[in-house]
Structures are given as structure tokens and as C-alpha cells.
Amino acid sequence: ATEWNVSVWGSRRAFTEHIERLAELLDERTDGEFTLNISYGGLSGNRENLDGISIGAFEMAQFCAGYHADKNPSITVLELPFLGVSDLQQEREISQALYEHPAVVADLARWNAVLLMPSPLPQYNIVGVGDAPQTLEDFDGMAVRATGGIGAAMETIGAVPNSMSATEVRQALDGGLVQGVSFAPHAHMSFGTIETGEWWTTNLNPGTVNCPVVVNSDALAALSDEHREVLMSSVDDALDYYIDYYNEQTMAAWGPALDERGIERVTFSEEELQAFREAAAEPAAQAWIEENTARGLPAQELYDFVTGMIAEGGM
Amino acid sequence: MAAASLVMTDDSTVSRLDRGLLEVEKLFALISGLAVFALMILAVISVGGRNALNQPIPGYVDWIEQAMPLIAFMGISYTQREGGHIRMDLLVGNLKGRALWLAELATTLLILILMMLLVWGTFAHFLRSFDMSQPLWSRDSSMDIGLPIWPAKLIVPVAFGVICLRLMLQVFVYARAVVQGTERPVGVPLIADAATQAALEAATVTGDDNDDKGH
Amino acid sequence: MDSITIGLIVTGFMLVSVILGMRVAFAAGISGLVGLIWIFWSRRGYDPEAFTWALGVAVQTAGQVPHSKISSQALSLIPTFILIGYLAYHAGLTKALFEAAKRWMAWVPGGLAVSTVFATAGFAAVSGASVATSAVFARIAIPEMLAIGYDKKFAAGVVAAAGTLASLIPPSAILVIYAIIVEQDVGALLLAGFIPGVFSAFVYTALIIGMALTIKDFGPRVTGFTWKQRFASLPPALPIVAVVVIIIFFVYNPFGGDAWGTPTEGGAIGAFIVFLMALYRGMRWPELRDALMETAKLSVMIFTIIWGVLIYVRFLGFADLPGAFSDWLTSLDMAPLLILIMILLAYAVLGMFMDAIGMLLLTLPVVFPAIMALNGGMNVSAEASAFGMSGPMCAIWFGILVVKMAEFCLITPPIGLNCFVVAGVRPDITVQDVFKGVMPFFIADAITIALLVAFPMIVLWLPSQM
Ligand code: NA
Ligand code: NA
């Protein structure tokens, strides 16, 4: 029998349901001959999962590209602001296609890692306190917790990005240190920002993070052909389950969670957002391409690949 | 308020090596202390900047994370030299002469093996974040403003390398004390009773008025 | 051999090497490393040729731990809180506090010991680390107690025990660590520690007065201070109030407005104010350098334990020992309160062998979810819960209980960090002496903990005002 150790972090949540489902499927389809032992934080810190894969300490792991851009520059293209991805299914398809791009494969091969599947997340949006912004101009001078590309995007409309660890976010919002926090809905719920928040932006959609699941390439090669086939063929089923779960459980809980707490939904007009996108998206994309070309990546090609797929998919 | 050092000195080669290494260790510990001070100043600037200018320090958390290895590791050998890493001396405290030095030799040797393996492990951790072919030689960067992490990771094996030198010296001293049956070897921290005598002797010689030593 | 058995054997090895006198941080580190090698080698069926592979993977796995675990913003509070303690010493605050406490309280039976407790409680309001507090007061209070005839064991014991107040009365590094591990509001936890901390000080005081009344030649009262002398002692101690106010306002604004920042910043600003005060009082580079070196030494000692224990914890993760414990605990058929009490007792036993931070780091990932589940889950209402409090309130209550237990462990043999530090500062006092002297305070702590369990409002009243 083969048992793989899987390193993830936090606790079991929507974000890890595809891995849990994959474990069930493998167990069923190999009659218990190939199993996954999923560890929540026991095997590695959440920013060292690629290191652990590279060493061979465990066989499978999940991580987010934005935690350490220099470890995985090629997939950070999916974290650029305002790519215009419409839903989880599209996020999944684009990620899966990108993960097969030779430059991306080579980038992760530096870590002895093979990309297995994405963990698609919806667009980030801001939960805030104080007067709800009526227009984007109201963000001028507002202190927001937003990191990386999303922080840079918010800066173009005059917001002041503050950096702090996720665990200090609630305190910072309570204390008025920041007036807004940018997270995906499940994180707004688990880090408690909606307990204090008074409004939520429905359609700012400045971007998201890309969090793949990878496997150690030696371990993958060492699998029997039969087990490897079962693993690869179970990925799509696991992802179907994940997306259903996120849409039906998390997003279904999100609306009522907002209503219960009387949180105001703020929606911006399409014209306004268009101006924001033009101001923020283009410079960020250009900077990304320039920086990653310097690394020796075919950055323009990767960017065109992603934006091309989104254009085809339609909005 | 510096506590009395528990390490005996004389003009033997071992003692000179001990004091030579101590200079390096003191420098490293001072860097660690200055990093704590810098952390404090950074917070003052951050709070001041935010309140007075509505302009917080970009990447405040990233900078703190960069400073932490300086604080946590640079002083490790100095602390070992002074016998500052805590232990339970209920048993060893009752040993004397050869039995004591044998016990010290055994535990120090184990620590030396651990630290040599960790120099390897932490250096490998550094190497995974370091790539000369990349901009800023970086293969791992911080979350918010993308600082290269390799310098901070390199601090760990460097500091651990220094404590390995210290442990080698201590292993040598303990081994020689086992062989020669020395009562109070130079260059290693002595435990309470012997140390008290040593401190008192030192005080009479130098006229040190440190009130910590009085009974 | 299955991984649980390996886990238990390696844990036994660690305890034995600690008892044999190996320095704790390294005993934990080497146990973790040996355990990792064992686990990885067992996966290859102990094939002799696979040993170097197992060694390499284990060493590299352990080698990630020091940097990755120490580079955290939350842990940066620890050196800052320690630095405040040393700077306050140079600012004359500790002496001023002790002098004021002496003039106002030393007339009661056991007066100098009582004064020590109150001066330490006052100092706790600027110091976030118990060991640093004990270290400072070992220098100030012990000589005075010895001078008027206190037993040196008891004098050392008072300082070691009173030092633990620093971790309940905010600021507190260990409450921050708890909040980070269980992902709860740091501010609410810091606030919740205040009343139990003061409460503990009163229980210590009652114990000392009781001992002074019953034991012959315990240590005389100190009388004869005039009211003028008493009031004259207050102004030098007053700056401490300013620092307390600043730190509290960075956590929570009692007047309902915005807090001024985060606890991390509050700690640093507090340190900066004390630094300016020390400059004003004549601290110059040589003294500052000494304070920085001492801060470095104590911080390094704590951080070395943290990463050493975390290498061991990483091994436990691979051995899945916490998971096995969690399954076992939740399968028990017992009243929740009884289970809670048994967990607290288990902490008392574990704490005999471990330091406070290591113990919390080691156990909370397993124990905290179990406690929350016992109460009815994170989102349970007070009415529907087992302990009669909502999920977040239960997290705060348990946090204070567990930190009080961890502080208790700082004074219990064989590994009681505070006692080691007091003995370290005073070469004439052995660790065994301190352990003997601190023993009466075990009773005081047991009473305090029992009352905090029986009357949760002592803990929860203040944070529920937030
Ligand atoms: Na305190
Ligand atoms: Na203890």
C-alpha cells in the first residue's frame, strides 16, 4: 500500500475540500491501496510547503503563489489585479491550462514539484467600517489592509495600504487602524472582519490569490501506472466537488452572514470601475511583464496566454 | 547590572581562544540587541508616519520579519558561552570532578552534533532561497513588498557556525578536564558553587564593587 | 513500529535528557531531529542504504524550522517587552516602585515581601515577560529582604513567584502567543489578564501575611515611614502610569474611540517612552549597551527554546501524536467541566518538565479545539454552551486559565524558568534554594486557579465591556 503525506495549513475548510475529496476518491478507487494522510499544519509552515516538497519530506502540498512570489514567479500572473475572471469555474480552467505551460512547468520543477490542481478562489472585496464609500473617490486617504498587487491597485485610487498579518487584521479594524480589509469571503468570515464591518464592496473585484496543489515529482514517478492514472483522473472530480462546495456552502452562507449583521452592500457603477481598471491594471501588468522578463521568463507570452483565455471565455 | 561571568580565565592558549571567540560573540550579541532597538524605532516611525502624515511604512511586517533572525540567532553563542541557555542542574549540580566533566562532555558533544547538523539544514534552507541567476539573487521573497529573504536565512547558519566553534572549544576543555581531573577548568561556564568562589576571587582581585555578588 | 510508538519513545528520551541536565532547547531540538530521522527511515523499512536519505530529509526538515518559525511579527513583541523591563531598570522605575511599595506597605506582617509583590505587580504593567521581571527584582528586592533577616530561600521564592504576575497583567508576551496560536483577538486577551493578575497579587499577599503571622522569625515589619515620606515616594513611580495608559490605549480605547494602534506598536512605543525616561535619568551608551546585551541574551534564550521545541513539534506532526491525543480526548464520556479540570491538571504535570512557551506551543493546537468543542463550538451562544459562555468568551477564559497554569509552571521544579533566572542573577542562591522558597506559592496559585474556574466573571467582566 502507498501512503502519501499531504501538507496543508489552518483547519479543514472550503479551501481544502478538493484535497479531502481527492483522498476519499483515491481510497475508494484503489480499495485502500493508495491513501492520503492530510496534515493541517503539522508537517510544514504555510510558506515552506514548496521547500518541503523539494526536500521530499512529504509528497503533496498546497500553497499560495503570493506568499512568496520569487519562489514561483510564473504563476503570479494569475494574481494580477483586474484580470476580469468571472467565476470559480473560469478561474479553474485558466489555472489548469496555465499549469501545463512549459515555462510554468519548468518554474515549479526547480522545486521538484509538479502542479496537480488549483484551489480557485473568488475575487477579493473590501469589508470596512465607517461611512460606506459611495464612489471610488471615497477611498482617497482610506487606510486599507491590502497586500501585494491588490495593495498597489488600491493605491491608484488614493487608498493607503497597510501591511499586517492576517491575525492582527481584526484588531486593526476594531481599533480603527484601518478602515477596510481586503479578503475573499471565506477569509472575511474566518478572520472575523464581518463581526466589526459595516459595509462590503460587491464588485470592486481587484484580484485574488492563486493557490495550487503540487506533488513531489519523484513520488509521482515512483507511483505504479495504475495509481498514477487513478490520481490524475480523480483531479477533475475533486475540483467539481470543490467548486460546488464553495458555491453552495460558502457563498450561500455569505449573503445571510452579511444580512444578519446588517452589513451594507456597496456596488460601484461600471463606468467608475472601468476607469479604476485602466488606472491600475495596465501599469501593474506592465511592471509584472518587465520584472519577469528580467528573470528569464517568457512573461509577455504568459500574460497574453492568460488574458487571451479570459477574452475567449467572455465576461 | 551585567551578571558576573561564570567563566574562568588565565593566559593559557585555551583561555586566549575563549576570549578571542568571546569578542566575536559579544559583537554578534550587540547586533542582536541593536536589532531590538531598531524594531522599537521602526514602530515609532510607523505610528508617527501613520498619524502625522497618513503614510505608514510600506512593508512594515516584512521589515520586522527580516529583523527577527538578527534578534533570535546572533546571540546564541554568547549565551552558550555564559551558560545562559537554561537547563535543570538538579543532577549535574551534585556531581564533582571527573564525573561532572564527563556529564558535561556528553551533553556538550550531543549539542555540537545537533548544531553541526543544523548548520547543514539551515544552510540548505538558505540555498533554496538563493539563486545567482535571478534579480537580487532571490528565489524567495517576502509577502507584501517582495524583499529577498536569503540574507535573513543566511544569518542562521552563520550564527550556528559560531556556536559550533564555541562548542568545539568546550568539548575540548571538558575532555581535557576528564583526562586531567582538573577542578576548575578555564574557558567553560562553571555551575553555582564553584562559580560563586570564582566570582568572589575575581572581585577581590579587581576591586569590582558589583553588589550582585554579596551574600 | 508505528509512528505513535516512535513518538512516545522520543518524548521519553527528551524528558530523560532534560532531567540529566541537557540544556532544554537543545534537548528538544535533538529529540526532534532524532525522531525525524527515525520516522523517515522507518518509511523506507530501515533499509541501511536509505539511512543517508532519511538523515538528509530530516536535517533539512529541521533546518527550516528556526528561520521560518522565528520570523514572525507576533514574536517580535517578546524582545520589545523584555527591553522595556531593562530600560525601566535604568529609568529608575523599578527602584522607585519598590521604594514606594515599601513606604506604603512594609508595615504589615511580612511587609517587605508584600511590598515586593506589589512593586512587581506595578512593574508587570510595563513588563511583558515573567523571567525578565524576576531577574530585575532579584537584583533589587532580594538584597533588602536579606538585609533585615529574611530567609534567603523565601526571599528568592517571593521574587520568582511575583514575577509570574507580569504575564497576566498586560502587556504580556505569552498572552500574545496564546492569541496568535488560537487566532483570537489579542487586545481582548491582554485586557482579560488584568483583573486575574491583580487578583493573584492579592492572593499572594494574603499568603505572605498568613505565613508572617504563624512562622517565628519570618522577617520583621518595616515601620517608621512618615506620611510625608510616603507621598514623596509617589512622583518617581508615576511615569509608570503614563506607560500603562499608552499601552492600554494601543489595545483598547476606554472612552469608546479608536485604539491608537496595534499591540505590537503599543509595546514598542511603551519601550520608547521608557527609553527617553532612562536617557533623562542619565543612561548613556555603556548602560544602554548593557541593557541591549541583556535583552539579547534573554531573548535568544527564549527564542532558542522556541525553535528547539518547534523542531520537536514538527517531529510530533510527522508522528501524528497530537491527532491521536485529540481523538482519545473527544471520545471520553465525562462531564465537560471535569475534562477541563483534568486538562488543567495535566498542564500542571507537563509544566513540571517544560517551560511555559514550549508547553503552550506544544499543546494548544490540540487542546484548544477540544476545549472549544466541549463548550459547544466557536459559534455557540452562552445559553446553549456547556460552560455558560459564548465561543469567543470561552477562548478568552481558557486562555487566561492556561496562561495562569503556564505561569505556575514557571515556578515548579524541575524546570521552572523563573527560579533558574533568580538563581542565575544571585550566584549565592542555588536553584534548589529557590524551589524550596517558592513552594508556599503553589498553594496560592492553586487557590487562584480554582477561583478563576469557579467564577469565570473574574476573567470575563473586563473584556465583555469592550
Ligand atoms: Na505584564
Ligand atoms: Na516547571
Side-chain angles (χ1 to χ4, degrees):
Chain A
T2 306
E3 186 188 56
W4 273 14
N5 278 322
V6 185
S7 174
V8 298
W9 68 92
S11 54
R12 183 171 173 169
R13 58 205 187 282
F15 185 60
T16 57
E17 278 306 317
H18 52 338
I19 303 173
E20 294 284 353
R21 181 67 187 148
L22 185 65
E24 284 172 18
L25 292 173
L26 292 182
D27 194 11
E28 279 167 25
R29 293 176 183 177
T30 63
D31 291 325
E33 281 300 301
F34 180 21
T35 54
L36 300 183
N37 177 25
I38 303 168
S39 173
Y40 286 87
L43 309 184
S44 174
N46 57 8
R47 287 191 242 174
E48 275 73 38
N49 273 325
L50 269 179
D51 293 82
I53 286 287
S54 146
I55 296 163
F58 37 80
E59 287 78 15
M60 189 185 288
Q62 185 181 31
F63 65 88
C64 292
Y67 286 0
H68 34 52
D70 285 3
K71 280 185 182 173
N72 38 245
S74 63
I75 49 176
T76 56
V77 64
L78 290 169
E79 296 189 349
L80 282 171
F82 301 116
L83 283 174
V85 177
S86 54
D87 58 23
L88 293 182
Q89 184 59 30
Q90 192 185 24
E91 179 82 26
R92 163 193 177 171
E93 281 162 15
I94 294 166
S95 297
Q96 283 185 302
L98 184 79
Y99 290 176
E100 289 180 2
H101 192 285
V104 175
V105 171
D107 188 22
L108 272 295
R110 299 188 300 164
W111 298 95
N112 217 9
V114 176
L115 288 154
L116 186 70
M117 59 182 176
S119 317
L121 286 175
Q123 292 287 304
Y124 276 32
N125 267 297
I126 294 179
V127 163
V129 293
D131 293 337
Q134 300 305 313
T135 67
L136 289 177
E137 278 165 23
D138 294 336
F139 281 103
D140 192 33
M142 183 189 291
V144 292
R145 191 270 183 187
T147 54
I150 296 176
M154 293 305 296
E155 230 173 342
T156 62
I157 47 172
V160 183
N162 278 242
S163 64
M164 66 198 64
S165 56
T167 45
E168 271 198 340
V169 164
R170 168 81 191 277
Q171 163 81 19
L173 193 63
D174 279 352
L177 187 55
V178 293
Q179 290 88 51
V181 172
S182 133
F183 270 147
H186 78 278
H188 275 306
M189 290 195 274
S190 60
F191 289 109
T193 44
I194 53 170
E195 307 303 331
T196 312
E198 292 161 32
W199 47 266
W200 175 64
T201 63
T202 61
N203 65 340
L204 205 54
N205 300 349
T208 185
V209 291
N210 191 264
C211 306
V213 176
V214 293
V215 294
N216 173 286
S217 54
D218 299 328
L220 187 64
L223 284 181
S224 70
D225 290 345
E226 186 209 333
H227 285 173
R228 196 177 317 113
E229 166 57 27
V230 175
L231 174 66
M232 292 311 191
S233 66
S234 301
V235 163
D236 275 328
D237 296 333
L239 279 172
D240 288 343
Y241 179 83
Y242 173 98
I243 290 176
D244 283 350
Y245 188 96
Y246 206 105
N247 285 338
E248 280 159 29
Q249 308 284 323
T250 306
M251 293 317 285
W254 179 240
L258 294 178
D259 295 336
E260 245 171 56
R261 294 163 180 81
I263 294 174
E264 182 184 347
R265 289 173 174 78
V266 182
T267 304
F268 300 99
S269 73
E270 192 49 41
E271 301 80 62
E272 245 191 322
L273 288 174
Q274 195 52 41
F276 183 15
R277 283 184 207 120
E278 275 160 19
E282 192 54 24
Q286 283 315 314
W288 185 88
I289 291 166
E290 199 175 305
E291 193 183 307
N292 287 287
T293 305
R295 281 179 211 282
L297 281 175
Q300 184 71 50
E301 187 189 326
L302 290 172
Y303 179 72
D304 293 344
F305 180 89
V306 168
T307 48
M309 271 195 83
I310 294 167
E312 267 173 42
M315 291 278 295
Chain B
M1 70 192 272
S5 172
L6 308 174
V7 182
M8 307 264 298
T9 55
D10 59 19
D11 21 320
S12 63
T13 314
V14 165
S15 184
R16 263 180 302 176
L17 281 175
D18 163 50
R19 280 170 291 153
L21 192 53
L22 179 60
E23 289 308 308
V24 178
E25 291 167 334
K26 274 187 174 164
L27 177 69
F28 275 36
L30 183 61
I31 292 173
S32 163
L34 288 171
V36 181
F37 193 77
L39 214 60
M40 181 179 85
I41 299 299
L42 192 68
V44 173
I45 296 174
S46 170
V47 173
R50 193 178 58 234
N51 290 327
L53 314 164
N54 197 20
Q55 190 53 64
I57 298 177
Y60 179 46
V61 176
D62 291 14
W63 286 110
I64 292 178
E65 289 176 358
Q66 296 280 354
M68 285 303 286
L70 281 174
I71 295 167
F73 302 111
M74 291 299 270
I76 188 171
S77 188
Y78 176 68
T79 309
Q80 175 70 14
R81 196 267 180 184
E82 304 285 306
H85 291 293
I86 62 139
R87 66 165 169 187
M88 221 217 87
D89 54 6
L90 216 62
L91 285 184
V92 279
N94 287 317
L95 297 178
K96 284 208 169 59
R98 284 203 165 88
L100 174 60
W101 307 134
L102 198 62
E104 297 279 27
L105 177 63
T107 54
T108 311
L109 200 57
L110 276 179
I111 299 174
L112 175 60
I113 293 169
L114 170 71
M115 295 314 295
M116 291 202 311
L117 289 173
L118 285 180
V119 168
W120 168 17
T122 54
F123 190 72
H125 192 55
F126 153 73
L127 274 185
R128 282 192 301 273
S129 67
F130 183 76
D131 184 343
M132 306 257 300
S133 75
Q134 293 291 310
L136 302 172
W137 298 348
S138 171
R139 225 180 94 173
D140 186 9
S141 49
S142 66
M143 200 165 159
D144 190 16
I145 55 168
L147 298 171
I149 296 183
W150 64 263
K153 286 186 177 172
L154 184 57
I155 290 168
V156 189
V158 168
F160 285 8
V162 176
I163 192 179
C164 281
L165 295 178
R166 166 59 60 191
L167 290 162
M168 283 176 201
L169 185 77
Q170 291 183 342
V171 164
F172 173 78
V173 171
Y174 287 134
R176 199 174 59 171
V178 171
V179 174
Q180 299 179 345
T182 326
E183 250 178 55
R184 277 186 281 146
V186 294
V188 291
L190 305 176
I191 38 187
D193 275 356
T196 312
Q197 290 174 26
L200 286 173
E201 275 175 26
T204 55
V205 172
T206 60
D208 191 338
D209 59 357
N210 191 332
D211 64 359
D212 286 348
K213 288 166 197 151
H215 278 266
Chain C
M1 204 176 298
D2 70 346
S3 61
I4 306 284
T5 317
I6 298 176
L8 291 172
I9 292 175
V10 170
T11 302
F13 169 77
M14 181 181 75
L15 293 180
V16 169
S17 52
V18 164
I19 290 168
L20 288 180
M22 184 126 169
R23 297 185 188 274
V24 177
F26 303 116
I30 203 159
S31 305
L33 185 53
V34 167
L36 283 168
I37 297 170
W38 193 347
I39 290 267
F40 286 121
W41 201 26
S42 75
R43 281 207 214 148
R44 297 280 167 107
Y46 303 108
D47 174 5
E49 281 177 19
F51 182 78
T52 46
W53 171 83
L55 179 71
V57 176
V59 165
Q60 294 191 61
T61 300
Q64 295 174 40
V65 173
H67 175 270
S68 75
K69 290 296 175 181
I70 292 302
S71 302
S72 114
Q73 181 200 12
L75 288 178
S76 74
L77 272 169
I78 292 174
T80 318
F81 284 172
I82 291 172
L83 180 63
I84 298 190
Y86 285 111
L87 290 176
Y89 177 84
H90 285 292
L93 285 175
T94 44
K95 279 216 163 81
L97 269 174
F98 186 64
E99 198 52 41
K102 197 168 78 181
R103 292 184 191 183
W104 286 86
M105 321 251 212
W107 57 272
V108 303
L112 216 44
V114 170
S115 309
T116 303
V117 169
F118 277 93
T120 313
F123 186 63
V126 289
S127 168
S130 298
V131 280
T133 305
S134 286
V136 165
F137 277 87
R139 294 190 171 91
I140 296 171
I142 293 180
E144 295 221 20
M145 282 191 273
L146 295 190
I148 64 162
Y150 275 82
D151 174 36
K152 80 174 175 188
K153 298 189 190 92
F154 182 76
V158 172
V159 171
T164 67
L165 298 175
S167 290
L168 283 172
I169 297 173
S172 157
I174 198 157
L175 274 172
V176 173
I177 290 174
Y178 173 85
I180 298 300
I181 298 174
V182 306
E183 296 181 346
Q184 294 297 308
D185 186 7
V186 179
L189 270 154
L190 286 174
L191 210 59
F194 185 77
I195 291 177
V198 175
F199 186 78
S200 289
F202 279 105
V203 177
Y204 285 168
T205 303
L207 176 93
I208 293 168
I209 294 177
M211 285 174 76
L213 291 174
T214 49
I215 300 173
K216 256 180 79 177
D217 300 327
F218 181 78
R221 304 168 181 224
V222 182
T223 49
F225 290 110
T226 65
W227 285 103
K228 200 177 158 200
Q229 284 173 318
R230 284 181 180 162
F231 282 106
S233 73
L234 291 181
L238 222 52
I240 224 138
V241 178
V243 176
V244 172
V245 167
I246 296 251
I247 291 180
I248 286 182
F249 269 77
F250 267 86
V251 171
Y252 147 77
N253 188 336
F255 302 113
D258 289 350
W260 297 354
T262 63
T264 318
E265 291 168 340
I269 302 290
F272 188 67
I273 289 168
V274 180
F275 166 69
L276 294 180
M277 218 179 299
L279 276 187
Y280 174 73
R281 287 287 176 95
M283 181 185 71
R284 290 298 172 261
W285 171 242
E287 296 86 26
L288 176 62
R289 188 188 54 207
D290 277 355
L292 292 179
M293 294 284 276
E294 291 293 314
T295 302
K297 211 164 93 181
L298 198 51
S299 305
V300 164
M301 184 190 86
I302 292 173
F303 283 124
T304 308
I305 295 174
I306 291 179
W307 66 251
V309 167
L310 285 175
I311 289 178
Y312 167 71
V313 169
R314 178 59 49 85
F315 152 70
L316 287 183
F318 277 91
D320 203 23
L321 209 58
F325 174 74
S326 183
D327 292 345
W328 172 74
L329 192 78
T330 43
S331 71
L332 293 178
D333 185 22
M334 258 194 272
L337 193 62
L338 195 61
I339 296 184
L340 176 78
I341 290 169
M342 287 178 58
I343 286 175
L344 292 178
L345 289 176
Y347 271 116
V349 175
L350 197 60
M352 290 171 68
F353 301 99
M354 298 208 57
D355 77 290
I357 293 168
M359 186 171 85
L360 292 197
L361 287 171
L362 190 62
T363 57
L364 282 176
V366 174
V367 173
F368 178 74
I371 292 290
M372 296 311 288
L374 281 178
N375 189 46
M378 199 65 224
N379 299 317
V380 73
S381 67
E383 294 74 35
S385 69
F387 299 132
M389 60 190 80
S390 68
M393 283 293 154
C394 182
I396 293 173
W397 180 54
F398 182 65
I400 298 301
L401 287 178
V402 95
V403 165
K404 180 69 195 172
M405 282 319 291
E407 291 306 298
F408 176 56
C409 298
L410 285 179
I411 56 172
T412 56
I415 301 173
L417 211 51
N418 272 19
C419 299
F420 284 90
V421 166
V422 171
V425 172
R426 302 281 313 191
D428 58 320
I429 300 177
T430 67
V431 174
Q432 284 78 352
D433 287 341
V434 190
F435 279 133
K436 280 179 196 143
V438 87
M439 236 164 251
F441 292 93
F442 296 172
I443 302 166
D445 276 345
I447 293 171
T448 306
I449 290 163
L451 290 173
L452 296 182
V453 171
F455 304 105
M457 276 322 279
I458 303 173
V459 176
L460 297 178
W461 180 76
L462 198 51
S464 66
Q465 306 300 308
M466 240 174 126

